[in-house]
Amino acid sequence: MKKILIPVFAVMLSVSFSGCAELQQMAEQFPQNGIITNADIAAGLKEALDKGIDKQVSKLTATDGFYKNEMVKILLPDELKKVDEGLRKVGLGSLADEGLKMMNRAAEDAVKEATPIFVSAVKDMTFNDAKNILMGDDRSATTYLEKTTTTQLYSKFNPVIKSSFGKVGADKVWENIINKYNKLPFVDKVNPDLTDYVTSQALNGVFTMISVEEKEIRNNISERTSPLLKKVFALQDN
């Protein structure tokens, strides 16, 4: 059987077992000879989801979850790269560094809104969705979540990031940065929408980390870190 059980898909099946007859019939096809039960499967899938969230999405909410993770670190938008260069040329590199850090801090704050939205999206999945994910590639569950949650995540992330800019002082830092840059001689003045930019980059970061864990649980047996996970996910290897 193709390797298809993954942390994100775990919640899809565990939530759906109780309310979807077709998925229940699929569960009943697993061995019932005392080696593993349907209850084991449901528990193992829930554990896999918890592992995926704890290991990947949740750590993005910690201090430096974005800022010191090169896979998702938010860099300056193109229109501000010249700002960074201009400030460094006049000895204001530390101010530019602080502005970059504040953008990442806002993203770390916003990602706390992600988990309940994922759970809600999973509850609404159809049997066809599940079947497509079962037969999908290493990123099929991530793609499903991108399609079903991006709009709602954006609407949640955006005001949090705007508020976070104020809370962590990023609004003042960037106001200072942009004002100083705009006062430099012979430069084109800038006034980018940083809230929109950081929101989009935070979303990219979340889905990047989900895809990392999805690939690991599909392909790396060592990621099955408990007896239950090993027993349940061994079914996909046969």
Side-chain angles (χ1 to χ4, degrees), residues 16-30:
S16 300
F17 276 165
S18 61
C20 180
E22 290 171 301
L23 288 179
Q24 182 62 38
Q25 289 174 4
M26 291 171 61
E28 290 171 355
Q29 294 173 9
F30 287 110

Side-chain angles (χ1 to χ4, degrees), residues 207-225:
F207 292 124
T208 294
M209 298 313 296
I210 288 176
S211 69
V212 166
E213 186 64 14
E214 175 176 352
K215 186 174 182 178
E216 282 297 294
I217 203 71
R218 285 177 182 265
N219 297 288
N220 190 348
I221 293 176
S222 67
E223 288 298 305
R224 303 163 196 174
T225 52

Side-chain angles (χ1 to χ4, degrees), residues 193-209:
D193 183 352
L194 286 179
T195 301
D196 175 73
Y197 173 75
V198 174
T199 299
S200 296
Q201 292 301 303
L203 286 170
N204 289 341
V206 167
F207 292 124
T208 294
M209 298 313 296

Side-chain angles (χ1 to χ4, degrees), residues 62-76:
T63 300
D64 292 329
F66 273 84
Y67 188 63
K68 291 188 177 180
N69 182 343
E70 293 302 319
M71 292 185 67
V72 298
K73 182 178 181 179
I74 298 175
L75 303 177
L76 293 174

Side-chain angles (χ1 to χ4, degrees), residues 143-157:
T143 300
Y144 169 79
L145 284 178
E146 283 179 323
K147 291 178 179 178
T148 57
T149 66
T150 293
T151 299
Q152 190 176 2
L153 285 172
Y154 186 96
S155 68
K156 287 287 188 179
F157 280 19

